[in-house]
Amino acid sequence: MNDSFNTVTGEWDGQGEFLPPDDPRLLVHYASYGVNYGNSIFEGAKAYLGRDGKARLFRINENAARFARSARGIRMPPVPEEMFVEKAIELVQLNKKYIPEFEADPNKRGSLYIRPILCGEAGLGVAPSFKPKFLMFCSPVGPYYATGFKPLHAMSVHHMVRAMPGGHGAYKTGANYVMSMLATSYAKENGCQEAIWLDGNRHEFIEELSACNFMARFGNTLVTPAVSDTILSGITRKSILKIASEQMGLEVQERALPLEEVLNGADETFGCGTAAVITPIGKISAYFGRYTREITPDVGELSQKLYDGLTGIQWGENADPYGWITFVD
Ligand code: PLP
């Protein structure tokens, strides 16, 4: 799907057509602001096919709201939230046959990944793109934990910064992910699978991972870094905090979370985001690999319960008391 911003009316025209993937109208110009100066934002959402054969979108209005926030954050015209939701529904309707079949085993379930993009059109000057394109495509994705739900080894990054206060860390813009690629490569070169970002001022507080938020359980309390202008406000994060406090009786805290506190006393740690839902973190290495703490050898009990609880709502196995699901016929 591609839609154009009308510079005469100052509005999105809403006439974007759904096109086959090889349609030349979907090509991005080599002089695009998005390609050259990073004037681009994106979203990530999923549609799930339940046991009843119905397709479900999860909290799609939250993606619409974050897409609009990200657009404003890098001075691009936001797409009206209703239009975003309508286009996502239409995209799923047109591609329902590509949503992987329901599987009884949660570790075998795939979904339809939806990727909305706002990308600046061609131009030369370093300026906000006044005429961006709104694109949306989808692709079936297989099960994230095809080889089993296992904890990974993460490494805190002390010499790189993902986002600084006053920057664009809270917006889902491509630039943030370029930084993440550097950090993830560093973690991998040091025998870990994922990087944990720390605050850019003191390298003392945990912020998030490359593509998911961070949580730690201390006894019956679940702590996650408070969202700020350096952290992406995750939809999975928000959903987990609600399920943990309302359905599992945990105390939840959104606050500054020192790395030292986690290394000294966390009982369980995990990442959370749309792609994997829960990424259990069994081990954390810090201070350039000079210190490693094993947190849990196996997937923690809470990580498993939250994974089952949230994926249960997404695939329609559990009730949806919060109205998070939009059915697509
Ligand atoms: N943080 C970053 C940097 C991300 O890229 C993502 C994934 O989109 C998240 C957090 C988690 O957000 P969500 O739960 O909305 O997928």
Side-chain angles (χ1 to χ4, degrees):
M1 191 281 302
N2 76 337
D3 197 38
S4 297
F5 186 71
N6 187 323
T7 48
V8 178
T9 61
E11 287 177 1
W12 287 93
D13 65 19
Q15 304 301 312
E17 287 171 76
F18 285 90
L19 305 163
D22 55 354
D23 190 291
R25 280 168 290 175
L26 290 175
L27 295 178
V28 171
H29 199 279
Y30 52 80
S32 110
Y33 283 96
V35 171
N36 288 269
Y37 307 126
N39 288 191
S40 73
I41 56 156
F42 66 99
E43 264 306 319
K46 279 182 174 177
Y48 310 84
L49 201 63
R51 190 187 289 273
D52 53 10
K54 290 186 185 156
R56 296 160 163 82
L57 274 165
F58 181 70
R59 304 196 79 172
I60 192 68
N61 352 7
E62 294 281 341
N63 293 100
R66 190 169 64 190
F67 197 58
R69 263 199 322 275
S70 297
R72 286 189 207 99
I74 65 160
R75 303 291 179 270
M76 285 170 111
V79 172
E81 293 172 35
E82 319 75 69
M83 185 171 129
F84 178 103
V85 173
E86 271 168 32
K87 294 292 179 196
I89 291 175
E90 212 178 325
L91 184 71
V92 175
Q93 279 167 337
L94 288 168
N95 292 283
K96 197 173 164 198
K97 63 171 184 255
Y98 298 112
I99 312 180
E101 287 297 324
F102 176 82
E103 295 279 349
D105 178 350
N107 288 337
K108 299 224 162 75
R109 291 180 198 153
S111 53
L112 187 74
Y113 184 78
I114 299 162
R115 169 56 59 86
I117 305 170
L118 207 56
C119 181
E121 272 207 331
L124 283 181
V126 180
S129 169
F130 66 97
K131 197 169 181 285
K133 275 225 185 275
F134 170 35
L135 307 154
M136 207 185 258
F137 68 86
C138 62
S139 168
V141 288
Y144 203 87
Y145 292 110
T147 56
F149 192 39
K150 287 187 224 118
L152 57 76
H153 184 176
M155 175 167 240
S156 55
V157 178
H158 296 256
H159 62 303
M160 293 180 201
V161 181
R162 174 183 176 274
M164 285 299 280
H168 46 53
Y171 309 128
K172 214 166 158 56
T173 181
N176 295 329
Y177 295 83
V178 171
M179 286 312 298
S180 288
M181 284 166 211
L182 295 180
T184 309
S185 309
Y186 169 74
K188 290 192 169 154
E189 282 154 18
N190 287 280
C192 299
Q193 287 102 42
E194 280 290 342
I196 298 178
W197 286 112
L198 303 174
D199 73 284
N201 285 323
R202 290 156 62 177
H203 296 276
E204 195 178 317
F205 298 97
I206 294 186
E207 298 231 297
E208 59 180 321
L209 279 80
S210 300
C212 59
N213 293 113
F214 181 88
M215 296 202 180
R217 180 180 66 78
F218 299 86
N220 203 35
T221 304
L222 185 61
V223 185
T224 190
V227 286
S228 66
D229 56 355
T230 57
I231 295 179
L232 191 82
S233 175
I235 299 163
T236 318
R237 172 189 180 281
K238 209 166 158 179
S239 311
I240 281 176
L241 291 178
K242 198 160 182 77
I243 292 178
S245 72
E246 295 189 8
Q247 300 185 7
M248 298 175 184
L250 276 100
E251 185 193 331
V252 301
Q253 294 180 356
E254 297 178 68
R255 60 166 169 88
L257 178 55
L259 171 66
E260 275 297 306
E261 186 183 341
V262 170
L263 294 177
N264 290 332
D267 296 309
E268 204 173 325
T269 51
F270 57 88
C272 57
T274 298
V277 183
I278 298 280
T279 304
I281 301 172
K283 237 191 237 180
I284 299 182
S285 287
Y287 308 113
F288 305 97
R290 288 199 282 267
Y291 178 82
T292 296
R293 163 147 188 246
E294 180 164 74
I295 299 179
T296 45
D298 302 312
V299 174
E301 202 182 314
L302 179 66
S303 306
Q304 186 71 56
K305 267 172 75 181
L306 288 167
Y307 181 75
D308 294 342
L310 189 50
T311 55
I313 296 178
Q314 290 168 331
W315 267 277
E317 295 289 274
N318 296 352
D320 169 28
Y322 312 115
W324 287 342
I325 297 295
T326 301
F327 287 96
V328 181
D329 296 325

